[in-house]
Amino acid sequence: KVLQIASVIGREFDLDLLQSVSGKEMAAAACLANLQENDFLLEKQSSPVAQYAFKHSIVRDVAYNSLVQKTRKAMHDRIANYMERLNPERLEEYCDLLAHHYLKGGRTDKALDYLEMTNQKYIRLGALQEAMQSFSEVMRILDTLDSIDFPALDSYRMRLVVDQYYPFLSCFKIREYLELLSRYRANVVSANDPVILTKYFSAVAGCHMYFGNFDEAVPSARRAILTGKEIGHPEFALMAYAILFFS
């Protein structure tokens, strides 16, 4: 069973998490030693926390697939819960793994929160290709939901979309991004969320500036700056300020 739990955690795992999930500290440690001797696992580091990895991917696959779907689902959810408890100050560091486990565990709401955190982390770090991938993954999941089961669907989608200028820019897909923004314009305006409005019009201004459409870029930039000032967050309209400065 220890090998099965480890297979759900992932290709690599640490002893603390495995013991927390299994609930059998001494048994888990002894079992891991035995699995190492039989060439199933290798120890990657012994301190400060012992970390292990599957030596062969096929061993992990067999162990993982030996679990029935209901058990795997419950185990993924349990692992995510323990990860949150064991590392409350490092959630951003593990947000992609938390998203993975909550998604596999059927906790779509929690998975989406961590996927959004993953997307924002990548944008902040300048890992824009990875940010684009995480954005696509979130949008794919959102497309499978409806507003009855997930009332915050439209708000969540808008909040995510308005932050994607630089990921789309890195992929040379500004035209597609402008089309996406245009598709959500009515929703953004009717929602009247000042933060989303500021980011939205700043992004729209950036897209038009990219194509040299100053007549379209400047009004959007001014609206973004005005809304940003009203809520005391002009930093949400930095691109809008740059556009007005250079236009």
Side-chain angles (χ1 to χ4, degrees):
K1 182 160 183 183
V2 169
L3 194 65
Q4 290 176 316
I5 295 172
S7 74
V8 180
I9 295 174
R11 174 79 174 80
E12 300 180 1
F13 57 93
D14 65 55
L15 182 59
D16 284 354
L17 180 57
L18 182 67
Q19 289 178 332
S20 296
V21 176
S22 68
K24 300 176 181 179
E25 294 188 10
M26 295 303 295
C31 186
L32 288 174
N34 183 53
L35 290 168
Q36 281 183 267
E37 289 178 9
N38 287 281
D39 215 29
F40 289 117
L41 302 175
L42 58 87
E43 188 178 48
K44 297 198 70 178
Q45 70 175 46
S46 57
S47 63
V49 177
Q51 291 186 342
Y52 299 85
F54 282 88
K55 199 164 185 179
H56 308 286
S57 59
I58 191 169
V59 173
R60 186 204 168 205
D61 293 342
V62 170
Y64 186 83
N65 292 322
S66 69
L67 293 163
V68 297
Q69 185 175 3
K70 183 179 180 180
T71 302
R72 282 203 306 259
K73 187 176 180 180
M75 204 169 286
H76 275 293
D77 183 54
R78 190 177 179 187
I79 288 166
N81 273 284
Y82 273 109
M83 287 182 70
E84 285 182 323
R85 293 182 204 174
L86 289 171
N87 304 287
E89 74 290 345
R90 301 171 66 186
L91 295 181
E92 188 182 65
E93 182 179 343
Y94 297 109
C95 56
D96 51 342
L97 291 174
L98 284 161
H100 165 76
H101 286 300
Y102 273 126
L103 192 60
K104 292 288 187 180
R107 296 285 302 279
T108 305
D109 54 338
K110 295 280 285 184
L112 287 171
D113 287 340
Y114 282 113
L115 281 169
E116 183 180 9
M117 186 184 293
T118 300
N119 175 261
Q120 293 300 311
K121 179 178 75 171
Y122 285 142
I123 291 174
R124 193 179 66 257
L125 294 175
L128 300 178
Q129 297 291 323
E130 290 83 355
M132 190 68 180
Q133 290 172 8
S134 64
F135 170 73
S136 299
E137 174 68 4
V138 178
M139 294 298 281
R140 182 191 66 76
I141 295 169
L142 291 175
D143 287 342
T144 67
L145 305 176
D146 60 62
S147 55
I148 296 175
D149 296 327
F150 196 69
L153 180 61
D154 287 339
S155 175
Y156 189 98
R157 200 189 298 266
M158 288 185 294
R159 192 172 72 241
L160 186 71
V161 166
V162 297
D163 279 330
Q164 305 307 312
Y165 178 83
Y166 290 107
F168 273 84
L169 178 64
S170 73
C171 296
F172 304 101
K173 292 184 176 181
I174 289 297
R175 190 172 300 281
E176 289 92 329
Y177 186 47
L178 183 57
E179 291 171 357
L180 185 64
L181 289 168
S182 299
R183 197 153 70 236
Y184 288 104
R185 183 184 180 101
N187 299 74
V188 169
V189 172
S190 64
N192 200 33
D193 183 310
V195 173
I196 293 177
L197 280 169
T198 303
K199 293 182 176 183
Y200 176 84
F201 284 106
S202 187
V204 169
C207 290
H208 284 302
M209 189 69 173
Y210 179 86
F211 293 114
N213 300 328
F214 294 96
D215 290 342
E216 297 285 347
V218 171
S220 293
R222 285 176 176 159
R223 184 164 183 180
I225 291 170
L226 179 62
T227 310
K229 285 181 177 178
E230 288 175 352
I231 61 174
H233 285 286
E235 69 274 12
F236 292 154
L238 285 179
M239 183 157 45
Y241 279 102
I243 288 169
L244 289 188
F245 180 81
F246 289 107
S247 61

